[in-house]
Amino acid sequence: MSVPLGSFSTEQFLEHYWQKQPCLIRQAITGFEPLLDGDDLAGLACEQMVESRLVKGTAEAADWTLEHGPFSEADFAKLGDENWTLLVQDVEKHYAPLQDLMQQFDFIPRWRLDDLMISFAATGGSVGPHVDQYDVFLLQAEGKRRWQIAHSFDSTMLTNCPLNVLNQFEPEQEWVLEPGDMLYLPPNVAHHGIALEPGMTWSIGSRAPSVADLLQGWGEWLAFTDHQGGRYTDPGLQAATRAGEIDRTALQNLRKLMLECIDTNQNLDNYLAAFMSRFRLAHDPMSPPATITTKELLNALSGETRLHRNPWTRLTWIESTEGARLYAAGQSYDCSIQLAESLCQYEQPRIRAGMLDQASLELLTRLVNNGHFLLTGED
Ligand code: SIN
Ligand code: CO
């Protein structure tokens, strides 16, 4: 599969731009044709399960308003021709054919990618100058949009504003993006996109846990597993001298306890992979109403039935002593590296009944019964 980087090679992009500096890629995807349009997006924004927002206002007037979906047709009928943007998250999970686009970004490890957010903007539509904490690929899918960026900026936010909009923004560079063009931005580059005509921007966003996210999750993990990471001890305790004080030695011992629990815990890799497989997941995959047996699954796969990854499951794996440990939305499963890789490679893994040994069949049955894979009738 070709990478969506225009004339840049993956190596050039990763070495010079990824996490380093913005990169404008003209005609990133040759012959790009958006698989959905503004009306399709509005339709999605009317659904209960879909996370959507409507932003109105301009940077000049600083009159930003924000509404959350689900919306109704009447909400859209009221909108004028200018200065509004409809934004919909996780579109690739709601509309499966878009998974192909996400796969083109597989040169970035899948666990680092988040979702496809699509915005439809009327002329003048914008969400204001702002900064994101994640890398993002802004693919212009329809219409023209002007993007302005700045590396140095005052991070003060506009007060009494429902959006994170910078109080002041002095652009250092700007470009007009046309359909097929893409702008990559690393975190912490201020940016402001304004629609010059009605159009869509497709944002392929990344995920990066903060230390707070990781430590919060680690604490919860320790509390819910048998390995509780030990407890404070002080066999060399000296008599207390100052009422109420936690002395230097005690503080050092507490710190040591925390550091050792990260440094020496045998389960840390396990925790990290499990955590990343459920980090920022908007919905939990639900188990099917009826469970299936290995025999039933084998029969199903021998016929026309195919396995299909639940779009709300994040699959990832790490190498283990026995092969691979696969993680699906926080749950872990042991399997071979080959099976882990083929399950992660495609949204619809190319698995036929004849290829499965008993262990693989049992694993797949558990994945189906836990809602991570769905059975579909089509090939
Ligand atoms: C947009 O599509 O309007 C906003 C995307 C972004 O700035 O990250
Ligand atoms: Co942004």
Side-chain angles (χ1 to χ4, degrees):
M1 187 170 280
S2 64
V3 287
L5 296 173
S7 55
F8 292 86
S9 69
T10 309
E11 292 71 27
Q12 271 172 331
F13 174 76
L14 294 178
E15 188 181 339
H16 301 291
Y17 300 98
W18 174 252
Q19 293 249 302
K20 296 174 191 80
Q21 56 169 326
C23 181
L24 173 70
I25 309 168
R26 293 285 179 201
Q27 293 309 294
I29 303 182
T30 336
F32 175 74
E33 295 275 353
L35 290 183
L36 44 78
D37 61 18
D39 287 341
D40 299 323
L41 199 67
L44 276 177
C46 292
E47 287 178 25
Q48 199 68 39
M49 276 278 282
V50 177
E51 192 186 328
S52 60
R53 291 167 291 159
L54 192 55
V55 173
K56 295 179 201 156
T58 63
E60 293 72 37
D63 56 347
W64 304 106
T65 63
L66 168 69
E67 291 159 70
H68 290 276
F71 298 101
S72 66
E73 274 186 38
D75 294 320
F76 296 123
K78 281 195 295 228
L79 294 170
D81 290 339
E82 287 186 333
N83 305 339
W84 57 264
T85 308
L86 170 70
L87 302 108
V88 179
Q89 299 293 144
D90 289 307
V91 185
E92 86 291 0
K93 303 185 183 79
H94 296 295
Y95 186 58
L98 291 172
Q99 297 282 356
D100 288 349
L101 175 72
M102 293 305 275
Q103 263 182 28
Q104 288 192 260
F105 288 84
D106 272 355
F107 62 97
I108 306 291
R110 185 58 71 90
W111 71 270
R112 283 282 274 125
L113 286 186
D114 194 355
D115 70 331
L116 171 65
M117 179 189 83
I118 300 189
S119 70
F120 180 87
T123 304
S126 159
V127 298
H130 66 278
V131 198
D132 294 321
Q133 291 172 28
Y134 302 101
D135 310 73
V136 64
F137 295 91
L138 299 158
L139 173 65
Q140 193 59 25
E142 189 186 275
K144 290 186 189 161
R145 189 179 187 107
R146 186 170 66 230
W147 282 102
Q148 301 176 316
I149 64 160
H151 291 88
S152 357
F153 55 90
D154 175 350
S155 58
T156 316
M157 296 288 172
L158 210 60
T159 47
N160 298 323
C161 176
L163 306 170
N164 285 330
V165 173
L166 292 170
N167 195 23
Q168 278 182 4
F169 175 67
E170 305 282 337
E172 293 165 3
Q173 270 176 295
E174 67 171 54
W175 305 275
V176 172
L177 268 69
E178 304 204 2
D181 294 344
M182 188 166 79
L183 177 62
Y184 160 76
L185 294 177
N188 298 318
V189 174
H191 53 285
H192 187 200
I194 306 156
L196 301 182
E197 56 190 42
M200 281 189 294
T201 302
W202 291 19
S203 305
I204 293 93
S206 71
R207 300 180 299 155
S210 67
V211 173
D213 294 324
L214 289 170
L215 288 181
Q216 184 180 12
W218 178 231
E220 284 164 15
W221 172 281
L222 286 177
F224 287 103
T225 58
D226 293 339
H227 324 276
Q228 296 213 353
R231 186 171 289 275
Y232 184 76
T233 57
D234 48 6
L237 184 70
Q238 303 286 303
T241 53
R242 298 191 287 196
E245 184 187 18
I246 304 175
D247 66 21
R248 238 342 77 222
T249 313
L251 288 172
Q252 270 166 6
N253 285 340
L254 286 165
R255 174 189 284 250
K256 207 162 136 232
L257 183 68
M258 286 182 76
L259 294 176
E260 274 178 8
C261 153
I262 290 180
D263 244 10
T264 59
N265 194 294
Q266 303 294 317
N267 272 305
L268 189 66
D269 289 350
N270 200 15
Y271 155 71
L272 291 171
F275 176 81
M276 286 315 306
S277 75
R278 66 177 162 79
F279 178 55
R280 284 170 61 92
L281 209 56
H283 299 284
D284 278 329
M286 291 216 305
S287 298
T291 55
I292 192 168
T293 62
T294 46
K295 199 158 168 254
E296 284 163 343
L297 180 63
L298 192 62
N299 284 342
L301 292 177
S302 308
E304 292 303 298
T305 304
R306 297 287 166 258
L307 278 173
H308 200 91
R309 185 171 55 77
N310 183 334
W312 297 102
T313 281
R314 282 192 202 289
L315 272 194
T316 188
W317 61 275
I318 60 175
E319 210 173 312
S320 68
T321 38
E322 285 89 36
R325 182 163 275 191
L326 179 75
Y327 297 84
Q331 296 174 344
S332 69
Y333 305 84
D334 289 314
C335 65
S336 67
I337 290 184
Q338 196 194 11
L339 185 62
E341 222 185 320
S342 52
L343 288 176
C344 293
Q345 202 155 19
Y346 305 101
E347 190 216 342
Q348 192 170 319
R350 295 158 192 199
I351 284 174
R352 298 285 183 272
M355 297 157 55
L356 292 171
D357 57 23
Q358 187 59 23
S360 306
L361 186 62
E362 278 168 20
L363 172 82
L364 283 177
T365 310
R366 288 173 66 205
L367 288 168
V368 170
N369 286 334
N370 289 335
H372 301 303
F373 278 88
L374 312 169
L375 295 170
T376 55
E378 299 145 40
D379 200 353

